Amino acid sequence: MPRFSVILPVFKVQGFLRECLDSVLQQSYRDLEVIAVDDCSPDGCGAILDEYAARDPRVRVLHLPENVGLGRARNAGMPQATGDFLFFLDSDDTLTPGALRAMADRLAETGDPDVLVFDYARTYWWGGTRRNVLAQILADAAEGTFTVAERPEILDLLMVVWNKVYRREFVAEHGFVFPPGYYEDTPWTFPVLLSAGRIATLDRICLDYRQRRQGNILSTTSRKHFDIHDQYARVFAFVDSRPELVSWRPYLHAKMGEHCLDILSKPDRLPPADKAEFFRRTAGMFRAHRPDGVRVPPELRVLEGSYAVYQSRRQAGRAVRELARRAQRPRKAAAVRLARTRDAVTARRSLDPNLVVYSAFSHRGVLGDPGAIYLKSREIAPQLRGVWVVRDEETAALLAPDVERVVLDSPEYRRVTARASFFVNNVNWPGTLAKRPGSVHIHTHQGTPLKYMAADLLTKPGARHGVDVPQMLRRADRWDHSLVANLHSERVWERAYPCHFTSARTGSPRNDVLVAAPAARTREARERLGIPAGHTAVLYAPTRREYRRGGHVERIDLARFAADLGPGHTLVVRLHPSLATGHARGLGLSDLHRRGVLVDATDVPHVEDVLLAADVLVTDYSALMFDYALLDRPIVVHADDWGAYTASRGVYFDVTAAPPGHVTASYRELAWLFASGTWRDAESARHRGQFRDRFGQFDDGRAAERVVRTLLLGEDMPAPGDPRVPSPQSARDLLASS
């Protein structure tokens, strides 16, 4: 008996069907069966299903003699299912890699609940991806199992059948079936969740919900949308038949009103001539099922009036929004005039020679190179007043009490930036910040560049999508000093930012701690991450991809990699900052961290601590490799898509030809490298030494002090050791030819 029965209703999806089937059958977890129901599809779907069934015994096809619709097609598949759990998958959607394994693990962990609710992401025809905005509900319910009464917020999730799996015996015991018509998920999902004795959640994106440009049933203009009234009538009948559920009537009554008004407001659902009738039927149903003594929410009171009143309120709402939009224009103009007047006044004030304004990573706190410079300044130049610009009050509250801060665009921000003599940032300041004569702007960058930056992106239209390069360069015109850690960076920044600045060969201030590598801080970092004593900490740090919208491409099955590393190893994962809050985070990383399979270090504020804690770095093309090389610890470059990456983003040199360690081109090679111990052999050390000599030329552990003394205080200080310039052949530098 298989663990999962995937019931797949199929109708007019021949363009998507193979992708859907492949996403199921190519799962690493193989204990499943597919019950494919050909709902008399007039296209080639039936032949595609028969083809898959002929070559994979896990696929069984049921050809219906006539079209019965989505709900009844699912009903036809249920008696054929033999698995422990039922999974109703729509045939134009796809499973994410590792989804079934994650579900199976979670079901075992929670003792086979009646229902398991998992996360999904909307994938759009134009390439965009958006995670379920209510995913936090799943994370908050991650401990054990519960009932709807214990966690009613679970009903706020999208009421669909395909973001859950159901214990087959539970479904059979209650006799749950799908009704005919549109919105058939509604009278299935509410009764199922209200009846479930044990519900569990999985905070992982297991399904990509395809948003089709055309052909989506619910986006088709039709009177069939009137079916919603019959579906909610079934829900109310179910609740009325079970006295223990009577307390849910007020919630369901409001939900019905919200759902129907949402359908009415959509421009593509109902024929215009039928909207008045739909409103009247909704209002009648709303009155008929209104529980005694329940106050109607303000947003639903429109259902107590006429359709004419509803229309007038909708039109009034649009008019109010338009007036508000128009009112913003003179307000903005007045704000601009006021700002210009204020700037003229402040321009007459003298600069404060001891005032330094800092920012890092778009005003996220005391981090990176600016943070290292600030801390060193407090140590050796206490006469300098350092003020941090933060993006909001929430970020300000996270800073230490003795750190002076101002919120971006606040009056305090404008006063401080008008008087400051020095500005230190690793991201360009906003365009509204005018550079006063005599002020000094120090730009630290965010590491040694491998991939194309700034003006070089003009030759890579895909990579520069959404990047205003001319605006970027206008802001860079304010720089006085550009910090560099090596000659390679000096050449790149002067090429990528053709502006009037001086390259300062200081080294990277944030890397001073890596050069020193204090044992106490390393030990503390490992303890905070939960790395057991004696374990080999393997840090995996992938970067973003420009050839995929959204930037995330899952190159490695993290659960498999963690298992293949074996006992005595801890896998630590840190995503690129641009991927930290979206689709990438939901593809199993949070769940694997919760289950102790790996450590998710994406949110650790100081990346230097993550690097110190790691015994080996596995990366693709992340700039972290340049920093990690200073620790003189093994590095593995996993370059399985090097061709696609270089073609889409562009690179300044071939890291696979002059690498910091071994290079792998497939997961099999990567797994073998660790299984054999080759990752830390003499060849790895030789590559690492050459790489460190080339890219750590100016990193001597005194970079922050050098910036403070030479650029802020105007003192003399010895420069780093004589740079060692690698030969063009060994470096394979592409600057001259790119």
Side-chain angles (χ1 to χ4, degrees):
M1 185 168 66
R3 190 61 163 156
F4 294 105
S5 291
V6 181
I7 298 177
L8 191 73
V10 178
F11 182 74
K12 294 180 68 173
V13 288
Q14 64 179 3
F16 308 114
L17 184 55
R18 292 183 185 275
E19 185 180 0
C20 174
L21 288 167
D22 289 343
S23 77
V24 176
L25 299 174
Q26 293 175 9
Q27 290 279 312
S28 60
Y29 188 87
R30 302 185 59 80
D31 188 14
L32 61 97
E33 64 178 2
V34 176
I35 312 298
V37 183
D38 173 16
D39 191 16
C40 201
S41 186
D43 56 8
C45 286
I48 293 172
L49 293 176
D50 290 339
E51 173 193 330
Y52 273 77
R55 68 171 185 249
D56 194 322
R58 296 176 297 169
V59 179
R60 283 183 285 148
V61 182
L62 179 61
H63 295 283
L64 300 184
E66 61 180 357
N67 178 252
V68 298
L70 186 57
R72 288 180 172 177
R74 290 171 178 158
N75 291 341
M78 274 197 281
Q80 311 297 318
T82 62
D84 297 330
F85 284 85
L86 303 178
F87 180 11
F88 300 98
L89 177 64
D90 285 354
S91 48
D92 57 349
D93 296 335
T94 55
L95 295 185
T96 60
L100 290 183
R101 166 58 66 187
M103 292 183 202
D105 290 344
R106 183 61 173 154
L107 290 171
E109 180 184 17
T110 53
D112 284 7
D114 296 328
V115 182
L116 174 68
V117 187
F118 53 80
D119 200 9
Y120 66 92
R122 297 176 187 265
T123 59
Y124 296 87
W125 60 268
W126 42 266
T129 301
R130 183 164 63 89
R131 189 180 184 184
N132 169 24
V133 295
L134 297 178
Q136 189 58 42
I137 292 176
L138 301 176
D140 292 342
E143 295 300 324
T145 60
F146 56 91
T147 63
V148 168
E150 293 166 333
R151 286 191 174 272
E153 64 272 17
I154 201 71
L155 294 178
D156 293 333
L157 295 172
L158 191 63
M159 283 291 102
V160 290
V161 66
W162 44 254
N163 64 349
K164 309 169 185 71
V165 294
Y166 312 86
R167 190 166 58 84
R168 185 167 59 88
E169 291 182 357
F170 163 72
V171 172
E173 175 188 346
H174 289 270
F176 293 126
V177 293
F178 292 93
Y182 279 20
Y183 305 102
E184 77 292 333
D185 288 5
T186 299
W188 168 280
T189 307
F190 280 121
V192 164
L193 289 179
L194 292 173
S195 302
R198 299 173 65 245
I199 303 171
T201 63
L202 174 59
D203 180 23
R204 185 196 194 278
I205 296 173
C206 295
L207 182 141
D208 284 330
Y209 174 31
R210 188 187 301 273
Q211 306 296 288
R212 291 160 66 178
R213 187 170 184 268
Q214 293 180 349
N216 188 328
I217 291 176
L218 293 185
S219 295
T220 303
T221 302
S222 167
R223 279 187 60 86
K224 290 185 177 181
H225 292 283
F226 279 77
D227 289 350
I228 189 64
H229 302 116
D230 292 335
Q231 306 298 24
Y232 271 102
R234 293 182 173 99
V235 174
F236 285 118
F238 178 84
V239 171
D240 290 344
S241 69
R242 289 163 173 76
E244 69 275 13
L245 299 180
V246 68
S247 62
W248 288 101
R249 283 188 59 86
Y251 173 86
L252 295 170
H253 178 254
K255 199 72 173 178
M256 181 269 293
E258 293 171 2
H259 197 166
C260 292
L261 286 177
D262 181 65
I263 294 170
L264 185 61
S265 68
K266 294 287 195 303
D268 58 353
R269 300 291 175 90
L270 294 161
D274 295 327
K275 288 191 173 185
E277 180 186 352
F278 185 90
F279 177 88
R280 289 191 292 270
R281 288 187 58 177
T282 299
M285 190 172 185
F286 192 75
R287 289 190 298 270
H289 290 283
R290 179 177 175 178
D292 294 335
V294 173
R295 184 171 177 269
V296 176
E299 64 273 15
L300 297 180
R301 289 175 189 167
V302 67
L303 289 171
E304 297 179 322
S306 66
Y307 181 63
V309 172
Y310 165 80
Q311 281 186 305
S312 64
R313 289 187 180 180
R314 294 257 311 163
Q315 292 168 356
R318 285 193 291 265
V320 168
R321 289 191 293 272
E322 176 61 19
L323 288 173
R325 185 181 66 82
R326 293 181 179 181
Q328 288 297 321
R329 296 173 184 171
R331 290 177 188 170
K332 290 180 179 177
V336 169
R337 290 194 296 270
L338 179 61
R340 288 174 178 170
T341 302
R342 187 188 302 115
D343 291 343
V345 173
T346 56
R348 293 194 292 268
R349 299 176 183 171
S350 61
L351 297 179
D352 183 341
N354 291 323
L355 179 56
V356 187
V357 176
Y358 296 90
S359 179
F361 300 106
S362 300
H363 322 300
R364 294 178 182 270
V366 185
L367 302 166
D369 290 308
I373 296 167
Y374 167 77
L375 295 175
K376 181 58 68 172
S377 174
R378 293 184 61 168
E379 176 188 335
I380 65 176
Q383 71 273 24
L384 296 178
R385 175 192 172 198
V387 180
W388 280 86
V389 177
V390 293
R391 55 184 177 172
D392 50 36
E393 292 290 353
E394 184 178 352
T395 306
L398 298 176
L399 301 185
D402 61 341
V403 175
E404 189 174 354
R405 81 294 304 266
V406 294
V407 175
L408 182 68
D409 290 332
S410 66
E412 293 80 7
Y413 163 82
R414 289 190 286 270
R415 284 193 289 269
V416 166
T417 55
R419 297 290 313 282
S421 289
F422 301 97
F423 292 81
V424 182
N425 203 341
N426 64 1
V427 177
N428 265 325
W429 291 98
T432 54
L433 178 63
K435 186 180 190 305
R436 291 191 60 188
S439 64
V440 176
H441 283 240
I442 300 169
H443 194 77
T444 71
H445 303 283
Q446 296 181 38
T448 294
L450 169 63
K451 57 193 175 186
Y452 274 12
M453 305 291 287
D456 288 324
L457 292 176
L458 293 173
T459 65
K460 298 292 181 181
R464 77 166 188 268
H465 178 72
V467 178
D468 188 342
V469 174
Q471 171 75 335
M472 181 185 295
L473 297 183
R474 284 192 292 271
R475 295 181 180 187
D477 281 333
R478 294 173 296 195
W479 301 353
D480 293 286
H481 301 285
S482 166
L483 305 191
V484 297
N486 46 65
L487 291 178
H488 164 79
S489 295
E490 183 175 300
R491 291 196 300 269
V492 168
W493 297 138
E494 291 177 3
R495 164 195 168 120
Y497 292 96
C499 306
H500 299 288
F501 58 79
T502 300
S503 293
R505 298 178 176 180
T506 59
S508 299
R510 71 186 184 285
N511 287 342
D512 288 346
V513 67
L514 301 181
V515 176
R521 184 164 175 177
T522 298
R523 184 171 57 253
E524 292 169 1
R526 289 175 67 92
E527 290 174 353
R528 280 196 298 271
L529 289 174
I531 300 171
H535 269 220
T536 298
V538 180
L539 171 61
Y540 175 54
T543 194
R544 64 178 291 116
R545 303 299 198 277
E546 273 65 31
Y547 61 78
R548 175 71 62 84
R549 194 177 189 101
H552 177 70
V553 178
E554 194 168 10
R555 308 308 310 174
I556 293 176
D557 183 333
L558 297 177
R560 179 182 177 185
F561 188 33
D564 288 346
L565 287 173
H569 294 77
T570 296
L571 178 60
V572 181
V573 178
R574 185 178 178 89
L575 295 179
H576 188 276
S578 66
L579 304 175
T581 58
H583 184 228
R585 199 68 174 278
L587 284 171
L589 186 56
S590 298
D591 181 60
L592 293 174
H593 175 81
R594 181 189 61 79
R595 293 196 284 122
V597 175
L598 51 74
V599 174
D600 179 7
T602 303
D603 289 336
V604 175
H606 297 283
V607 68
E608 300 83 16
D609 287 331
V610 181
L611 299 182
L612 285 170
D615 296 299
V616 54
L617 170 67
V618 178
T619 187
D620 35 40
Y621 323 115
S622 170
L624 288 182
M625 71 175 81
F626 299 99
D627 306 329
Y628 192 78
L630 298 173
L631 290 166
D632 195 22
R633 299 175 190 171
I635 300 174
V636 176
V637 176
H638 186 57
D640 65 336
D641 65 340
W642 175 246
Y645 184 82
T646 56
S648 60
R649 178 63 194 238
V651 295
Y652 291 113
F653 71 95
D654 186 350
V655 74
T656 66
H662 287 291
V663 179
T664 58
S666 68
Y667 179 76
R668 183 177 181 180
E669 291 180 11
L670 179 65
W672 175 85
L673 203 66
F674 279 90
S676 64
T678 309
W679 59 275
R680 52 186 171 189
D681 63 6
E683 184 181 357
S684 171
R686 178 176 61 81
H687 284 307
R688 184 168 69 251
Q690 294 173 347
F691 193 85
R692 188 176 64 254
D693 287 345
R694 181 184 178 194
F695 296 109
Q697 293 164 301
F698 306 142
D699 279 317
D700 61 355
R702 302 183 68 188
E705 179 186 0
R706 189 170 290 110
V707 173
V708 174
R709 293 196 183 280
T710 63
L711 302 184
L712 299 184
L713 299 178
E715 300 176 357
D716 292 329
M717 181 175 173
D722 292 335
R724 297 169 294 281
V725 183
S727 67
Q729 283 188 331
S730 66
R732 300 243 183 145
D733 205 312
L734 305 181
L735 280 176
S737 59
S738 59

